[in-house]
Amino acid sequence: MKTTTLERIPQPTPVTPGMTKAMVREHAYQMYRDRLPDTPLTIEDWVLAEKDLVARMQDEQPPTD
């Protein structure tokens, strides 16, 4: 039986202006609390966490009129 091991990858740099690695990391750890620390996060997990954080921040901003 072939087994694969998931390697821990470094956190990518956020592509959204104003986002820091620490902000995305904190949000990702909240999102994937059930998976961590047993399973490392993938690139897709980091990107999804960043997108979700940006969407939440935009939803929280009051409309400007």
Side-chain angles (χ1 to χ4, degrees):
M1 175 185 245
K2 184 177 181 180
T3 61
T4 59
T5 58
L6 296 175
E7 293 183 27
R8 198 167 297 266
I9 59 164
Q11 179 183 354
T13 304
V15 295
T16 307
M19 287 287 122
T20 64
K21 280 187 172 186
M23 293 166 66
V24 175
R25 183 181 315 116
E26 182 178 334
H27 189 69
Y29 287 163
Q30 290 173 1
M31 284 180 63
Y32 299 111
R33 185 177 314 167
D34 57 330
R35 285 183 29 191
L36 295 171
D38 300 330
T39 307
L41 297 178
T42 64
I43 292 285
E44 291 81 14
D45 295 335
W46 287 114
V47 171
L48 182 61
E50 181 180 350
K51 288 180 179 181
D52 186 64
L53 179 59
V54 169
R56 286 182 188 230
M57 291 177 76
Q58 288 176 345
D59 288 343
E60 291 175 0
Q61 290 182 351
T64 56
D65 287 332

